[in-house]
Amino acid sequence: MRWIKDNALSLAFLVMFLLALAGQAWSGAIHYNEEQLVNGLQPVSVWAYVTSSSFAVDVAENWQSEYLQFLLFIVLTVWLVQKGSPESKQPGEEGPEADREQLVGEHAEKNSPRWARARGARLWMYSNSLGLVMGTIFVLSWLAQSVAGLAAYNSERITDLRDPVTWGWYVTSSEFWNRSLQNWQSELLAVLSMVVLSIYLRQRGSPESKPVGAPHRATSVEG
């Protein structure tokens, strides 16, 4: 029970993610089969749907936009600040900060991660590991979206008795970028809203909010 309590936030989001993914698979299969019947085609099982390119492209395009959001937020908050936001560093503290502040190299503590005591490439890699992993997942999700999207798009073209297109044609088409940008703009708006609204609004007890009584100008202060 102690382990569950210590990891409750991660477990809660994992359960909600799995439930949402299962719901997407179920409702998506129903919608897909409705279109199949309209086009005079045979309906498919839920398993056939979740292993299809149609399901894969819908999942991948959402994943890549989410990880793009986190990648940009992680990297841009190193150099850019927003006065009054708990999501920002203090004005004047822009940049990667000194080794003493980051507890690396000779300033590492006894319980610091081992690579925090390293030098050179290992230290650089660990110092940027969060952004690197988020960026890698974004790129892989983007590639998965492009491949699955190409398969789904060509399937529609073949059904309409049109010639299939190449991967290069697809990733430069309005079809691909319309799917991508409609997700990107919503994620960027969500981050913008969080950064700005957290200056003036509060959520008592949340580390994503300033203390209720903190002044609006207080920056990098969490409740």
Side-chain angles (χ1 to χ4, degrees), residues 36 57 88 96 98 108 112 129 143-144 153 158 164 166 183 200 204 211 214 220:
Q36 288 286 95
V57 67
S88 167
S112 294
S129 55
L143 288 173
Y153 187 66
I158 292 172
T166 64
N183 284 285
Y200 305 103
R204 185 167 183 162
S220 191

Side-chain angles (χ1 to χ4, degrees), residues 38-52:
V38 168
N39 293 323
L41 302 173
Q42 290 295 316
V44 301
S45 65
V46 174
W47 175 251
Y49 173 70
V50 298
T51 56
S52 69

Side-chain angles (χ1 to χ4, degrees), residues 17-223:
F17 162 71
L18 294 175
L19 290 174
L21 188 63
Q24 179 187 356
W26 181 261
S27 60
I30 294 174
H31 178 69
Y32 182 81
N33 282 331
E34 289 175 349
E35 293 186 338
Q36 288 286 95
L37 293 174
V38 168
N39 293 323
L41 302 173
Q42 290 295 316
V44 301
S45 65
V46 174
W47 175 251
Y49 173 70
V50 298
T51 56
S52 69
S53 58
S54 295
F55 180 73
V57 67
D58 288 341
V59 172
E61 76 177 34
N62 282 289
W63 286 12
Q64 59 96 354
S65 64
E66 295 291 345
Y67 281 100
L68 174 64
Q69 171 196 160
F70 284 118
L71 172 63
L72 292 176
F73 193 65
I74 289 165
V75 174
L76 292 180
T77 51
V78 175
W79 301 99
L80 304 179
V81 298
Q82 175 59 58
K83 187 174 182 178
S85 176
E87 306 296 329
S88 167
K89 295 192 291 188
Q90 291 280 358
E93 295 181 357
E94 298 89 343
E97 301 177 352
D99 288 355
R100 182 185 298 277
E101 297 170 306
Q102 288 291 311
L103 303 177
V104 297
E106 63 183 23
H107 303 289
E109 299 178 342
K110 288 192 300 183
N111 59 349
S112 294
R114 185 175 60 182
W115 277 34
R117 301 185 181 88
R119 295 289 185 181
R122 282 201 303 167
L123 178 58
W124 181 89
M125 184 174 295
Y126 188 67
S127 298
N128 297 279
S129 55
L130 183 59
L132 289 171
V133 169
M134 290 293 185
T136 299
I137 297 175
F138 162 68
V139 171
L140 292 176
S141 300
W142 185 89
L143 288 173
Q145 178 200 350
S146 68
V147 173
L150 173 64
Y153 187 66
N154 278 335
S155 178
E156 292 179 1
R157 290 181 66 88
I158 292 172
T159 300
D160 295 336
L161 303 179
R162 293 183 293 168
D163 292 333
V165 299
T166 64
W167 180 83
W169 186 96
Y170 178 70
V171 296
T172 57
S173 69
S174 58
E175 162 74 14
F176 177 78
W177 285 105
N178 179 55
R179 294 180 70 102
S180 296
L181 292 172
Q182 66 179 317
N183 284 285
W184 290 9
Q185 55 87 12
S186 63
E187 301 300 340
L188 297 173
L189 176 62
V191 174
L192 172 62
S193 300
M194 184 66 180
V195 170
V196 176
L197 292 179
S198 62
I199 299 173
Y200 305 103
L201 306 180
R202 310 286 189 268
Q203 180 58 57
R204 185 167 183 162
S206 174
E208 301 303 316
S209 168
K210 292 185 287 191
V212 177
H216 294 326
R217 64 178 179 278
T219 308
S220 191
V221 177
E222 297 178 343

